[in-house]
Amino acid sequence: MTKPIVIGARLRRYPQFTTLGPRPNLDDYPPEHLELIRRAEVVYYPTEALALQLAAMGKRLFPSLACHLLEGDKIKQTTLFKLLGLPHPRTRVFYGSQRGEILDHFAFPFVAKKARASSRGRGVHLIENQTQLTAYLAENKVAYIQERLPISRDLRVVVIGFEPVCAYWRLPPPGEWRSNVAQGATVDFTGVPPQAVELAVAAAKAADLDEVGLDLAVVDGQPLLLEFNVKYGRQGPSQMGLDVVDYVAQGILAGRLPPPRE
């Protein structure tokens, strides 16, 4: 039986897979590796460099093409949430001269984020005055502005194969308002609202996100989607005793991943 073909390095510790590894140039792969890719029905962890091309060839991917196209782009994610009619904080993107209209739509304080290629809480700012807004605009040609929510913690729900495998609160450390574990937040697995987990799963299914960590807020008992990460952190799941890499590996070997098409 042919071993599953993996491009990225995530499953390299498992001999049951043929991990080719990411290469900066397609010509860096030997001919026999290119032939393995051409013959594969499913390519696992294809990387952003190859995902679109492999999908155009008719390959099935895990994680899905949607995961690769939307990873790290808050603007695309917000657009998707709005098109799907999913609950999301009031958010607006300002381009060019539109940046001068921010205070026509938002009053201090509000949240400003780096629109693309930010993670682990980096590039996220609480804007409380004009000086802070001016500094943010000096560093960001595109302004991604979001209402400040009345919350002291948020939720992370990890969904793999459209099944919720881990959900926990993220609580900021003293003196910090961001709740990223990479920024020192602690996790709490108790009292996670079922409706928040249900929303995360519904969003993953609607957007074809078959391996993803979704971040949510709960305001007045109602969950709101904030954003999602395909390259989500593993610290929270590991504190629950979950090795997500092993979970994925066993799911692939058992034929559960990628999930069956409906």
Side-chain angles (χ1 to χ4, degrees), residues 24-26 44 52 85 89 104 111 117-118 121 123 130 134 164 180 188 212 220 227 246 248 253:
N25 192 307
L26 191 67
Y44 296 89
L52 188 59
D104 295 337
V111 175
S118 63
Q130 182 63 54
T134 300
N180 302 80
D188 181 0
V212 66
D220 296 329
E227 61 183 84
D246 189 66
V248 168
L253 296 172

Side-chain angles (χ1 to χ4, degrees), residues 31 50 54 66 86 104 178-179 210 218 236 240 253:
L50 293 177
L54 291 171
L86 296 170
D104 295 337
R178 294 171 297 179
S179 55
D210 53 12
V218 178
M240 193 187 77
L253 296 172

Side-chain angles (χ1 to χ4, degrees), residues 7-243:
I7 302 295
R10 193 171 191 190
L11 300 173
R12 61 187 173 186
R13 76 185 198 230
Y14 295 90
Q16 301 96 321
F17 300 92
T18 298
T19 295
L20 305 181
R23 305 289 180 92
N25 192 307
L26 191 67
D27 293 332
D28 293 334
Y29 289 102
E32 58 268 26
H33 284 185
L34 293 177
E35 190 60 25
L36 287 173
I37 295 171
R38 293 187 185 105
R39 291 181 178 180
E41 293 184 8
V42 182
V43 178
Y44 296 89
Y45 295 98
T47 74
E48 294 175 11
L50 293 177
L52 188 59
Q53 296 89 330
L54 291 171
M57 292 171 64
K59 304 294 182 186
R60 188 154 189 212
L61 308 179
F62 182 85
S64 68
L65 179 61
C67 289
H68 291 86
L69 293 179
L70 298 168
E71 167 69 14
D73 193 317
K74 292 179 174 61
I75 296 174
K76 289 181 180 179
Q77 292 184 16
T78 292
T79 301
L80 177 65
F81 291 152
K82 290 181 178 180
L83 287 171
L84 291 173
L86 296 170
H88 181 56
R90 186 169 66 91
T91 304
R92 192 177 180 94
V93 182
F94 298 86
Y95 300 90
S97 61
Q98 295 176 344
R99 303 189 316 158
E101 304 171 6
I102 291 173
L103 296 181
D104 295 337
H105 297 270
F106 294 87
F108 299 123
F110 52 79
V111 175
K113 301 179 180 180
K114 184 179 179 181
R116 300 182 177 94
S118 63
S119 61
R120 299 186 176 185
R122 295 188 291 263
V124 179
H125 308 276
L126 178 61
I127 305 298
E128 299 178 293
N129 53 54
Q130 182 63 54
T131 299
Q132 293 174 345
L133 177 58
T134 300
Y136 165 78
L137 293 176
E139 297 293 328
N140 294 272
K141 292 183 178 180
V142 178
Y144 179 97
I145 308 299
Q146 193 168 81
E147 66 176 317
R148 173 80 188 277
L149 298 175
I151 59 173
S152 59
R153 58 182 181 173
D154 68 13
L155 277 170
R156 164 65 57 85
V157 181
V158 177
V159 179
I160 301 177
F162 306 131
E163 296 291 336
V165 300
C166 185
Y168 51 92
W169 295 103
R170 304 187 300 179
L171 291 76
E176 176 62 71
W177 66 279
R178 294 171 297 179
S179 55
N180 302 80
V181 175
Q183 299 291 341
T186 56
V187 302
D188 181 0
F189 297 96
T190 64
V192 174
Q195 63 268 34
V197 177
E198 291 168 3
L199 175 60
V201 172
K205 288 181 177 179
D208 193 30
L209 305 170
D210 53 12
E211 187 190 354
V212 66
L214 298 107
D215 298 338
L216 302 94
V218 178
V219 179
D220 296 329
Q222 299 301 313
L224 300 172
L225 288 161
L226 298 174
E227 61 183 84
F228 57 82
N229 293 281
V230 177
K231 299 171 185 175
Y232 54 88
R234 303 176 200 169
Q235 302 98 316
S238 67
Q239 291 186 42
M240 193 187 77
L242 174 64
D243 181 339

